[in-house]
Amino acid sequence: MASLFRSAEMTLCQLFLQSEAAYACVSELGELGLVQFRDLNPDVNVFQRKFVNEVRRCDEMERKLRYLEKEIKKDGIPMLDTGENPEAPQPREMIDLEATFEKLENELREVNQNAEALKRNFLELTELKQILRKTQVFFDEAERGASAQMADPSREEEQVTLLGEEGLRAGGQALKLGFVAGVILRERIPAFERMLWRACRGNVFLRQAEIETPLEDPSTGDQVYKSVFIIFFQGDQLKTRVKKICEGFRATLYPCPEAPGDRREMAMGVMTRIEDLNTVLGQTQDHRHRVLVAAAKNIKNWFVKVRKIKAIYHTLNLFNLDVTQKCLIAECWVPVLDFENIQLALRRGTERSGSSVPPILNRMETLEDPPTYNHTNKFTSGFQNLIDAYGVATYREMNPTPYTIITFPFLFAVMFGDLGHGLLMAFFGGWMVLKEKPLAAKKSDNEIWNIFFGGRYIIFLMGLFSMYTGLIYNDVFSKSLNIFRSNWVINNITKKDALSNDYMMLDPAEGDYVDYPYPIGMDPVWQIARNKIIFQNSYKMKISIVFGIIHMLFGVALSLFNFTYFKNKLSIVAEFIPQVIFLVFLFFYMVLLMFIKWFMYYPTNIESEIKYSPRCAPSILITFINMVLNKETIVDRQCDATMYAGQIPIQKLLFVCAVICVPWMLLAKPIYIMRHRRKMNYSVSHQQMQAAAGNGDAEQPIHNNTAQPVAGHGGGHGDEEEMSEIFIHQGIHTIEYVLGSVSHTASYLRLWALSLAHAQLSDVLWRMVLNKGLICDGWVGGIVLYIIFAVWATLTVSILVLMEGLSAFLHTLRLHWVEFQSKFYSGQGYAFLPFSFENLLDSASQTTEE
C-alpha cells in the first residue's frame, strides 16, 4: 500500500541481452508488465531499423486475420473466446503461422470468387426467367391488340406515332417491329422512360413490370428491387440508340425469342440450370461455412499471438546493437521493489531461448525525472483516474487517491443527501460490481456506458454515502422516516394537513419542543414545517464551512509529508508553518465559534440567564467580519456580545498573528535563498583565491556550477534575474494562498447550495406530480396513481438521479482538484507506461471494436 500513498520508487537501468535471447527475454518482460523502455534510436527512421521486416510480416498477418474476422462476422458465426492468454510464439513459429493464414486466405478468397461467379450466373438466370415470364404477358396483349385492330379500324391511329404514316400506307407489306428485353433497377425506371421518350422522339414503345421478390447483388450481397422491361421500335437506327440508352442506365439486356414455343423451351432450360446452380451454391456455402467455423475457434488466440510478436519486435527496435552485432543494449525504467521479479523474468527468457550467456541489468545514475507509478487494483483504479485527469503526480509526491476514496463520496453525498435516491444509485453501482466479469467480457463500444462501468465502485460508494447523509437529513424522496417518534408535541396535525400545503411554523421556544433531540438525524416534523428551509439553511451552511475548513487543513497537512520526504526544511519553515497558522487562526477559529455557539445557546432560556437566550446568540459571520475589521459588535444591552471570557483580546491576537504570516510566506524563502547564495559565492571565491595564491589544484565544490556566473563578484545580472523569478513566484504563491483561503472557504458553500436545491427539487416533484395521484380515491384513483407514478419515477431517475447526480459529481471533482489538491499537489509528472501485453491487447481490442 506504500506505493498507493506515494508513487513507487523508480530507477533507470541498462540492459544487455544476447541477440538469440533478446526475443524471449522481452516476451517475459511483456508478460510481467513492469518495464518501460526508452527509445535509443530517436533519429533513426522507422523503416531503417533492424526488425522492420519482422514488423511488416506481422502487419501482413494481422491484415489476413482481419479479413478472416470480417468474413466470420458476415456469416454470423460466434468466435470462441476461451479467455486464454497464449504466450508469444517463438520466431521460428512465425513461418507456420504465416503458412496457415496464407492457406486460409487463399482458400477463402477462391471460395468467395467461385460463389460470386455462381451467384452472378444465378442472378442472370433468375432475371432471364422473369423476362420470359413477364414478356409472355406483353406478347399475349400484343396479339389481342392486333385482333382488335382488324375488327376496329379506328385503332389504327394508335400506331401512327410508332410506325409513321408511310409505314401505315405501305400497302400489302406489313412492317415488323423489333424489340429488346432486359432488367433494370426499379428506381431508375422513371428517368429511363423519360430518356427513351426524348432521345427517340416518342418512336418507341416501352412496357415494364416489377419483379415482386428482391434479388441479391452478387458483389455487395445487398437485396435490390428490379423491373422487367421490353422496348418495341422500328429500324436499326433506333435499335442502336435504345441499346446505348440501356447501357447508360446499366440495364441488363437478355435474348428473348419472339415465338411462344421458343420462349417455353428456353424457360424450361433456364429452370433446369437454376436447379443445378442451387445445388452447387449450397455445396459452396457449406464448404465456406466449414472453413470459417474452423477459423473462428482459433482466431482470438491467433490475434493475441500476432499482436504479441509485433509488440516484441517494436520493442526490440528501440534497442541499440553493439559493434559485434551479438548483443542488444536497452535502457528502461523499473520499480525498485520489483527489481528481483524483473531479473527472474530475464532468467526465464534466457532459459527458454537456450542461451548460455545471462542478461545483465545494471542501475544507472541520471538527473532525469523518473515516471510516476502508483500500484492500483480494480477498486482504486477509478479514483486514481480521477486524480490523473487533473495531472499525473510529480515523482514521489503524495498521492491524493487513498484519501479521495473517502472524501469524494462523502462530499458528494452532502450535496446528494437522499436515502431513496442514494438507494437507486447504490443499487445500480452494486449491480455493476456483482456482474463485473460478464459485463466486462461484453466489451461494449458505448462510451457513456464505459464511463459508468469504469467508475462502478465510485458510484456504489457515492450511493452508500448518500444513503447515510439522507438518513441524517431524514430525507427519503422529500419525505421523512418517523422511526423514533417526533420530539415535538403537536396535537392538531392530521393526515390531510400533512398532504396539503398548509404547513405549520415551528419554534422551539414556544414550548412544543420536548427538550431533547431526535436520536438520529433531523426530526421528521421539519418536513411539514413552514420554516423548514430557514432551519436547514443555517444547519447545512455551517456544516459546509466546517467540512471545507477541515478538508483544506488536511490538504495543508499533507504538504508537510511532501516537504519532510524531500527534506525541504526551508519550505516547512517558510511555507507550511505560516500557512497552517493563517488558516487555523482565522478560519478554523470561525469553526470553533460555531461549535461554541451550538453548545452554549439553547432554544429556551437556561436557569433564567438572559445571555444564553437564542435572542442573544451572536452571528458568527458578523463576529468574524468585526474580528477582521477590528470593530465592536453592537447588541442589546441585556445581551453579551462575546461567547466566552477574553474573546476580544484573543481575537485581536489571532488576527495579528495571521497578518504576520503574509509577509512571512512572501519574504522568508526568497531572503534565505539570497543570503545562502551570497554566502556560497563568497566561499567559492575565497577557495579560488587560496588556490591561486598557493598554485595548488584546489578541488572545486560540487555547487560550483550554480555559483559560476557570479564567481568573483558580489552579485551579477544573471543572479538578479534568478532571484527576481524567485520573488515573483513566491509572491504569486502567497497571493494565491491568502486569497484562495477566502475564496475556497466560500467555494465549499456549494455543499449547502446543491443540497438545498436537490431537496427542493425532490419536494417539488412529490407535491406537483405524485401528490396529484395520492389524493384520488376509488378504482379510478388506482389507475391515475399508476400513470402518475410512472411519470414521477421517470422524472426522478432522469432529473434527480442522473442530472443532479452529475452536477454534484462535477462540483465534488472541483472541490478536490482546486480546493483540496492545490494545498499540496503539483501534478507535474508523467505516467509510467510499461511494456505490457495486457495493456496492448486491451487497447487493440477496443480499437478493433470501434
Side-chain angles (χ1 to χ4, degrees):
M1 290 296 291
S3 61
L4 180 62
F5 289 94
R6 193 183 298 277
S7 62
E9 186 178 356
M10 308 294 292
T11 181
L12 183 63
C13 295
Q14 194 171 34
L15 177 63
F16 296 89
L17 297 171
Q18 290 296 312
S19 297
E20 62 271 13
Y23 181 93
C25 290
V26 172
S27 173
E28 290 292 335
L29 294 178
E31 298 290 349
L32 192 62
L34 290 173
V35 178
Q36 178 177 336
F37 292 100
R38 303 172 69 185
D39 189 2
L40 300 183
N41 308 297
D43 300 328
V44 180
N45 192 291
V46 177
F47 301 103
Q48 295 176 345
R49 303 200 177 193
K50 178 174 176 57
F51 301 99
V52 63
N53 291 328
E54 285 78 2
V55 173
R56 286 175 176 172
R57 290 167 62 188
C58 293
D59 288 335
E60 181 64 17
M61 286 192 289
E62 266 195 309
R63 182 195 62 78
K64 293 174 182 177
L65 286 177
R66 285 195 297 269
Y67 171 72
L68 290 174
E69 185 183 37
K70 184 181 72 172
E71 295 296 321
I72 290 171
K73 289 181 178 179
K74 186 187 294 184
D75 280 20
I77 300 173
M79 289 179 286
L80 183 63
D81 188 3
T82 58
E84 297 179 2
N85 186 19
E87 294 183 353
Q90 294 299 319
R92 59 180 176 272
E93 297 180 33
M94 280 184 64
I95 301 175
D96 298 335
L97 288 175
E98 286 178 316
T100 302
F101 300 158
E102 183 75 20
K103 178 183 176 182
L104 281 173
E105 185 192 28
N106 292 338
E107 185 176 5
L108 196 56
R109 287 191 182 278
E110 184 179 356
V111 170
N112 287 343
Q113 289 175 359
N114 293 336
E116 184 177 349
L118 291 173
K119 287 180 179 179
R120 194 174 300 280
N121 197 359
F122 180 79
L123 176 65
E124 292 174 354
L125 292 175
T126 304
E127 290 178 348
L128 181 57
K129 181 184 73 173
Q130 293 291 339
I131 286 175
L132 294 174
R133 181 179 300 173
K134 301 292 184 183
T135 53
Q136 181 64 39
V137 179
F138 298 154
F139 284 114
D140 291 345
E141 291 178 356
E143 291 178 0
R144 288 196 297 269
S147 301
Q149 182 180 348
M150 292 177 62
D152 187 5
S154 62
R155 293 176 61 93
E156 184 178 344
E157 295 179 359
E158 296 180 2
Q159 296 185 2
V160 171
T161 306
L162 184 61
L163 301 178
E165 295 182 359
E166 294 182 358
L168 291 176
R169 288 197 298 267
Q173 185 177 3
L175 294 176
K176 297 185 64 176
L177 295 176
F179 68 91
V180 293
V183 176
I184 190 173
L185 289 175
R186 189 178 297 178
E187 61 266 18
R188 294 178 181 171
I189 284 291
F192 181 60
E193 192 170 1
R194 287 195 299 271
M195 180 59 70
L196 282 172
W197 178 263
R198 293 172 182 173
C200 301
R201 299 181 181 178
N203 290 321
V204 295
F205 182 63
L206 171 68
R207 293 295 305 275
Q208 60 93 14
E210 296 180 353
I211 300 176
E212 294 81 6
T213 57
L215 304 176
E216 182 183 354
D217 189 340
S219 301
T220 61
D222 298 333
Q223 300 292 325
V224 294
Y225 289 89
K226 295 187 175 183
S227 295
V228 172
F229 66 87
I230 184 169
I231 304 172
F232 295 95
F233 51 81
Q234 179 188 4
D236 294 337
Q237 186 177 1
L238 281 179
K239 180 178 180 180
T240 304
R241 193 175 299 175
V242 166
K243 285 187 175 182
K244 287 184 178 179
I245 294 173
C246 293
E247 182 180 354
F249 279 86
R250 296 183 182 179
T252 308
L253 301 180
Y254 291 95
C256 180
E258 187 175 356
D262 295 341
R263 288 197 298 272
R264 283 194 297 270
E265 184 178 354
M266 179 179 285
M268 292 176 63
V270 167
M271 293 298 295
T272 304
R273 292 173 62 187
I274 287 176
E275 291 177 0
D276 296 340
L277 270 179
N278 274 327
T279 304
V280 177
L281 268 174
Q283 295 174 352
T284 304
Q285 292 295 336
D286 290 342
H287 177 63
R288 168 188 161 89
H289 188 75
R290 286 194 299 270
V291 172
L292 293 177
V293 167
K297 294 179 181 178
N298 301 312
I299 193 165
K300 292 287 186 182
N301 288 342
W302 286 340
F303 265 119
V304 172
K305 290 180 179 180
V306 171
R307 284 167 179 163
K308 284 186 176 182
I309 297 172
K310 184 179 178 181
I312 291 172
Y313 283 118
H314 265 302
T315 304
L316 290 174
N317 277 332
L318 305 177
F319 296 1
N320 260 342
L321 277 172
D322 68 342
V323 181
T324 62
Q325 301 283 319
K326 293 183 179 180
C327 180
L328 290 172
I329 305 172
E331 291 182 4
C332 53
W333 291 105
V334 299
V336 174
L337 294 177
D338 296 311
F339 198 81
E340 293 183 1
N341 294 332
I342 294 169
Q343 288 182 325
L344 289 175
L346 291 173
R347 291 196 195 104
R348 287 196 303 268
T350 305
E351 293 173 0
R352 281 180 53 191
S353 64
S355 175
S356 58
V357 181
I360 301 173
L361 186 64
N362 295 329
R363 294 194 184 186
M364 299 173 60
E365 295 294 333
T366 180
L367 297 177
E368 184 180 348
D369 292 332
T372 300
Y373 175 45
N374 293 300
H375 287 286
T376 58
N377 52 38
K378 61 183 180 181
F379 174 72
T380 59
S381 60
F383 294 95
Q384 187 66 55
N385 290 334
L386 290 180
I387 303 302
D388 292 342
Y390 174 80
V392 179
T394 308
Y395 177 66
R396 300 296 286 167
E397 186 179 37
M398 285 296 295
N399 184 18
T401 299
Y403 320 107
T404 303
I405 293 174
I406 300 299
T407 60
F408 191 92
F410 178 73
L411 292 182
F412 170 86
V414 173
M415 294 181 277
F416 197 76
D418 190 292
L419 184 61
H421 301 154
L423 181 64
L424 294 177
M425 186 172 289
F427 178 79
F428 177 61
W431 172 76
M432 288 191 292
V433 171
L434 292 176
K435 300 291 184 179
E436 183 176 286
K437 291 184 177 180
L439 291 175
K442 292 182 179 179
K443 295 180 179 179
S444 173
D445 56 351
N446 189 304
E447 187 175 356
I448 297 178
W449 164 254
N450 290 334
I451 293 174
F452 279 125
F453 184 71
R456 56 193 178 278
Y457 290 98
I458 302 176
I459 295 174
F460 181 62
L461 284 181
M462 290 192 305
L464 290 182
F465 276 76
S466 298
M467 292 172 63
Y468 166 74
T469 53
L471 185 64
I472 297 300
Y473 295 157
N474 206 344
D475 203 349
V476 187
F477 297 118
S478 81
K479 295 302 168 186
S480 58
L481 296 174
N482 193 358
I483 301 175
F484 303 100
R485 295 183 59 187
S486 173
N487 288 327
W488 287 78
V489 180
I490 302 174
N491 298 321
N492 58 349
I493 185 171
T494 63
K495 180 180 178 182
K496 182 178 179 181
D497 295 329
L499 293 177
S500 66
N501 294 329
D502 298 332
Y503 293 166
M504 61 201 69
M505 182 74 72
L506 298 181
D507 185 1
E510 289 183 356
D512 292 335
Y513 187 52
V514 185
D515 284 343
Y516 61 89
Y518 195 71
I520 299 177
M522 287 188 181
D523 197 302
V525 76
W526 285 106
Q527 289 291 349
I528 55 173
R530 190 177 302 164
N531 55 337
K532 168 183 138 180
I533 295 179
I534 300 174
F535 170 73
Q536 288 188 348
N537 266 356
S538 176
Y539 168 72
K540 293 183 178 180
M541 181 172 61
K542 287 183 174 62
I543 63 171
S544 299
I545 297 297
V546 172
F547 292 150
I549 299 300
I550 294 175
H551 200 212
M552 289 191 295
L553 268 175
F554 181 60
V556 176
L558 289 179
S559 67
L560 176 62
F561 292 94
N562 279 334
F563 298 146
T564 305
Y565 177 82
F566 293 112
K567 299 178 181 178
N568 192 348
K569 296 181 180 179
L570 176 60
S571 294
I572 294 177
V573 176
E575 291 183 1
F576 170 73
I577 294 178
Q579 285 179 359
V580 171
I581 293 175
F582 182 83
L583 195 60
V584 170
F585 284 13
L586 286 183
F587 297 97
F588 190 72
Y589 174 72
M590 181 172 60
V591 172
L592 293 179
L593 289 179
M594 294 179 187
F595 282 95
I596 292 173
K597 181 177 179 180
W598 286 338
F599 281 102
M600 292 191 62
Y601 294 90
Y602 292 86
T604 55
N605 295 337
I606 303 298
E607 298 178 358
S608 302
E609 295 185 17
I610 300 177
K611 69 175 183 178
Y612 293 124
S613 171
R615 180 175 58 83
C616 293
S619 170
I620 301 296
L621 182 60
I622 299 300
T623 302
F624 182 74
I625 293 174
N626 291 336
M627 170 186 171
V628 174
L629 298 179
N630 197 20
K631 292 176 60 178
E632 293 185 2
T633 305
I634 300 175
V635 296
D636 194 315
R637 294 179 180 178
Q638 296 179 342
C639 297
D640 193 350
T642 60
M643 300 183 188
Y644 60 92
Q647 178 178 346
I648 302 300
I650 290 176
Q651 287 182 170
K652 290 182 178 180
L653 176 63
L654 294 178
F655 179 70
V656 170
C657 293
V659 171
I660 293 174
C661 290
V662 176
W664 186 356
M665 286 185 284
L666 181 64
L667 301 174
K669 190 172 185 178
I671 291 175
Y672 176 84
I673 293 175
M674 184 170 58
R675 293 185 60 186
H676 179 71
R677 288 186 177 179
R678 287 180 178 177
K679 183 178 179 181
M680 296 299 295
N681 291 337
Y682 174 77
S683 176
V684 171
S685 301
H686 185 66
Q687 290 180 11
Q688 289 177 347
M689 291 173 62
Q690 287 181 346
N695 293 324
D697 299 328
E699 184 179 355
Q700 297 295 325
I702 58 174
H703 41 258
N704 187 27
N705 292 335
T706 305
Q708 189 174 0
V710 293
H713 304 277
H717 183 64
D719 190 45
E720 288 178 0
E721 285 186 350
E722 189 175 351
M723 285 307 304
S724 65
E725 290 180 1
I726 294 175
F727 272 102
I728 292 173
H729 178 269
Q730 196 65 23
I732 294 173
H733 184 71
T734 303
I735 294 172
E736 181 183 7
Y737 182 82
V738 173
L739 296 183
S741 298
V742 180
S743 63
H744 292 176
T745 303
S747 182
Y748 279 93
L749 290 174
R750 70 185 69 236
L751 298 174
W752 153 58
L754 266 76
S755 174
L756 184 64
H758 184 80
Q760 287 304 109
L761 278 174
S762 181
D763 186 56
V764 166
L765 271 185
W766 183 283
R767 290 191 292 110
M768 302 288 290
V769 180
L770 189 60
N771 196 37
K772 304 300 182 182
L774 294 175
I775 60 178
C776 297
D777 297 328
W779 63 271
V780 177
I783 299 175
V784 172
L785 179 61
Y786 181 82
I787 298 173
I788 291 179
F789 178 80
V791 176
W792 174 80
T794 303
L795 293 175
T796 297
V797 173
S798 59
I799 296 178
L800 294 180
V801 177
L802 290 179
M803 294 181 62
E804 282 283 311
L806 178 60
S807 175
F809 177 87
L810 294 176
H811 284 283
T812 310
L813 200 60
R814 183 239 152 78
L815 289 177
H816 282 78
W817 280 358
V818 179
E819 279 73 22
F820 173 57
Q821 291 176 199
S822 64
K823 304 295 185 296
F824 68 97
Y825 187 75
S826 61
Q828 295 179 352
Y830 63 100
F832 175 62
L833 301 175
F835 170 61
S836 170
F837 286 145
E838 183 179 359
N839 296 338
L840 289 170
L841 294 175
D842 287 343
S843 60
S845 63
Q846 292 176 3
T847 304
T848 302
E849 290 173 3
E850 290 175 0

